[in-house]
Amino acid sequence: MPAVPARPRRVGARVGHARPPPDRLRHPVGRPRRALRLRGRARRQRAPRAAGRGVRRGGARRVHAGGRAPPRRRRHRLAGQPARGLLRPRRVGRLEDRVAIVTGGNTGIGRAVALAYADEGADVAVAWVEREPEARSLVEAVEGKGRRALAVRCDVAREADVAALVGSVLERFGRVDVLVCNAGIQKAQGITETSVDDWDRMMAVHLRGAFLCCRAVAPHMIERRRGRIVVVTSQLGYIGRARYTAYSAAKGGLLAFTRALARELAPHGVLVNSVAPGLVDTGFDPLPESVKRDHAASLPLGRLATPADLVGAFVFLASDEARYFCGQTLHANGGEIMP
């Protein structure tokens, strides 16, 4: 077998070493690494700088003891804090890209709910009968939040008006994800003062209105197997109040309506619940200020509600967080009743 020729030994390499020792390795600029280390050690052992060194052009620079300039401070970003110049990510709302209808949505509780839904990322359509300027200003406010808005004049007690409302929403937005049955009227009358027309109108706005609106949106929600319906009831549906017989009866009927409809639509993925507010200071109720003060003093919380106190319940029931709530009533009444 022929002998394998030995590899030629590099010039300068010692016998028994495959490569020169580390101290003999050359730096790219030609100096051995050992020499560079020794030079750096000698530099660190030099005498401290004389006082006064470190003065910059245009002004004095602070000097540490021994004449050294202070070290530069590094600015560290906190965990989760975006780097300078980068845009912060937009918060995704709990109702992002959903479409909601709020009846009676231009004033009071309905207006607060519509704005809260827009804050959570929903497009909003409001139904109104009176106070057109408030409806227009609400549309501007919702659009100012970056969401789409629609205001439709609609008497919820009229079947044709409700059909036109839902048709307009479907044409504009393509679907309905949330319905808030908030439209209502209130009138203090003793039983002997209440006419048949007064009674019928109270039942028409509250009960027939909720029935017509729910019937109009139900087919679209059932087809998509997804939807939320929130009915506005009242604590008077539980306890009643003198001179509010018709109103209390209408709100009590809405409680039963909510529970029955919840059982019917739940198998189709549509959840129906309600909110039962106490006395809310909306600025539009007919009660004298003295009555409001006395009522507020009787509450455990010691004050009347404002619409802003209620919107959290409406946002919750319209969101995925309420996916196991069915036929329930949230009592936002300041402790007036505790069922």
Side-chain angles (χ1 to χ4, degrees):
M1 181 175 180
V4 178
R7 296 177 60 184
R9 189 160 53 92
R10 290 191 304 167
V11 177
R14 293 187 295 178
V15 177
H17 289 270
R19 56 180 299 180
D23 290 348
R24 298 291 299 171
L25 292 177
R26 309 292 292 181
H27 191 268
V29 297
R31 294 181 180 177
R33 291 184 180 178
R34 179 178 177 82
L36 291 175
R37 288 200 301 270
L38 292 176
R39 182 178 179 182
R41 187 181 305 169
R43 183 180 299 170
R44 290 192 296 271
Q45 293 175 353
R46 287 180 183 174
R49 296 182 180 181
R53 293 193 63 181
V55 177
R56 287 182 176 178
R57 182 180 301 176
R61 184 181 178 188
R62 289 188 304 165
V63 178
H64 275 315
R68 291 187 179 183
R72 294 182 180 273
R73 294 183 179 179
R74 293 184 178 180
R75 300 182 64 180
H76 298 281
R77 290 188 291 113
L78 298 177
Q81 182 180 2
R84 183 180 298 178
L86 297 181
L87 295 177
R88 294 180 180 272
R90 186 174 67 87
R91 184 181 73 90
V92 177
R94 288 183 283 177
L95 305 178
E96 191 72 17
D97 294 331
R98 298 186 187 180
V99 177
I101 297 177
V102 182
T103 64
N106 59 328
T107 60
I109 297 173
R111 184 184 185 92
V113 171
L115 293 174
Y117 281 3
D119 286 334
E120 292 294 337
D123 298 324
V124 182
V126 295
W128 61 278
V129 175
E130 299 176 347
R131 299 187 177 93
E132 182 177 0
E134 283 84 350
R136 294 183 181 275
S137 67
L138 177 65
V139 169
E140 294 175 358
V142 171
E143 291 177 344
K145 297 176 182 292
R147 305 309 308 181
R148 296 178 295 173
L150 178 67
V152 180
R153 186 166 189 170
C154 172
D155 181 351
V156 295
R158 296 172 58 89
E159 184 176 5
D161 283 14
V162 173
L165 166 67
V166 176
S168 298
V169 173
L170 292 175
E171 181 180 359
R172 173 75 181 278
F173 303 120
R175 67 182 191 278
V176 178
D177 299 297
V178 182
L179 168 66
V180 178
C181 296
N182 172 70
I185 57 175
Q186 189 180 94
K187 190 174 184 180
Q189 287 179 311
I191 190 66
T192 59
E193 304 165 3
T194 304
S195 67
V196 172
D197 290 341
D198 293 334
W199 179 273
D200 288 346
R201 182 60 181 169
M202 189 71 69
M203 300 302 154
V205 173
H206 291 92
L207 283 171
R208 190 198 303 169
F211 157 69
L212 290 176
C213 291
C214 292
R215 189 184 68 171
V217 303
H220 309 283
M221 292 182 175
I222 291 173
E223 181 181 1
R224 299 178 62 241
R225 297 196 61 80
R226 180 185 180 89
R228 298 288 190 271
I229 296 176
V230 184
V231 180
V232 180
T233 58
S234 170
Q235 89 279 6
L236 296 189
Y238 289 86
I239 61 176
R241 178 176 292 166
R243 298 181 58 80
Y244 283 85
T245 305
Y247 181 83
S248 300
K251 291 300 187 181
L254 284 175
L255 288 169
F257 174 81
T258 298
R259 294 165 184 157
L261 188 62
R263 293 182 181 276
E264 180 178 341
L265 296 184
H268 303 284
V270 182
L271 302 182
V272 185
N273 295 283
S274 69
V275 177
L279 183 57
V280 182
D281 191 3
T282 63
F284 299 105
D285 55 78
L287 291 178
E289 290 299 322
S290 59
V291 174
K292 294 180 183 179
R293 286 194 300 269
D294 293 342
H295 184 76
S298 69
L299 298 176
L301 291 184
R303 66 176 180 87
L304 298 183
T306 65
D309 294 322
L310 310 180
V311 296
F314 288 89
V315 171
F316 168 73
L317 290 177
S319 71
D320 291 337
E321 297 170 5
R323 58 186 173 273
Y324 207 64
F325 279 68
C326 178
Q328 304 302 305
T329 299
L330 300 185
H331 297 272
N333 56 45
E336 182 175 5
I337 62 171
M338 303 179 186

